[in-house]
Every structure is written in structure tokens, then in C-alpha cells.
Amino acid sequence: MTRVAVWVATLGPVGYWPLGPGTLASALVAGLWWALPVRGWAWLLAVIVLIPLGIACADRAEAVLGHDDGRIVIDEVLGMGTALLTAPHTAVGVVAAFVLFRTLDIGKPPPLGRLQRVRGGSGVVLDDLAAGALAAALVGVGYGVIG
């Protein structure tokens, strides 16, 4: 079971990509979002359903790979999925969500960095969910979806 959890947490070979596995995982989610006809409530439901799975797999993967190891990319999947919630289905919309999410995820402005200190899979995932939510809010405000 642990091997399956690590495979899910790393998205198989994606987490082992030598140049920015988190960015690659985020780009793959953006591409999936672009290609699938799933938007709005259906996308939100998919993200919500995947959160407990992501936390559980990240928790198991941490035991094998170490705390918030860079190979664990399920957190980027969930964060990018969250960032896309308000993005319009345009090239500019998906790029804006991607750039904002990656900037916030990598930069960890306060209080996002504090969330990473939470132990276990929750700590791995929470900061990325918060970065994704902030990116979604900024994209939503920018496109007039929110506010």
C-alpha cells in the first residue's frame, strides 16, 4: 500500500523529473483542465474529493521520502486544481492561474509558509491549497468573477 501511496503522491515519474517536478505537475493539471470539459462545480467537486486522498498519500510518502520532499507533487496537483477554479477557459486565464499559483507556492508569502510546518500529509498539502485559493481569488477578481 505504501508503494501505491508514494506513486500517487509523486504522480509516478513526474515527481522524479529533474527540473522542477512541482512546476511540471502544475503544468500537467493546467493541461488536463484545458483539455477536459469539466468546469465549475464539477471541477470543484473533483478537487474536494481528491484532497483527503492527496493528504493520505502525502502522509505515507513523507514516511518514505522525508518531510515535504520535492518529489511529492500531489500538493501541486491540488493547489493548481484550486487555482483554476475561477479561471476563464482562455489561454490568458490558464496562464494567469498557473503563474500566480507557482509564484505563491514557491514564494510562500505569510501566512502560507506557516502552513507548511504542520506535520504529516496535511502540512504538505495545506500550503499549496492556500496558495491555490489565493491565486483563484486573484484571478477571480482580475476577471470580475469575484467582487
Side-chain angles (χ1 to χ4, degrees):
M1 193 59 139
T2 298
R3 284 197 315 188
V4 172
V6 171
W7 189 87
V8 170
T10 62
L11 292 186
V14 174
Y16 297 91
W17 183 256
L19 303 171
T23 299
L24 177 59
S26 299
L28 290 172
V29 172
L32 182 67
W33 176 86
W34 183 264
L36 291 177
V38 178
R39 303 280 182 280
W41 290 106
W43 187 262
L44 174 62
L45 181 61
V47 171
I48 289 170
V49 166
L50 288 175
I51 290 171
L53 173 70
I55 290 172
C57 290
D59 195 55
R60 290 249 176 138
E62 262 200 335
V64 174
L65 302 173
H67 178 63
D68 207 3
D69 187 277
R71 294 170 287 187
I72 300 171
V73 294
I74 192 69
D75 51 334
E76 276 82 14
V77 169
L78 296 167
M80 188 66 216
T82 302
L84 290 165
L85 286 169
T86 60
H89 193 246
T90 64
V92 173
V94 73
V95 168
F98 177 83
V99 169
L100 284 167
F101 170 67
R102 290 308 294 150
T103 300
L104 293 165
D105 183 35
I106 292 167
K108 303 260 188 280
L112 299 182
R114 289 188 202 137
L115 294 171
Q116 199 169 22
R117 295 183 202 146
V118 174
R119 293 270 182 221
S122 295
V124 174
V125 171
L126 282 175
D127 65 305
D128 289 73
L129 284 175
L134 184 52
L138 292 170
V139 169
V141 167
Y143 280 95
V145 177
I146 299 173

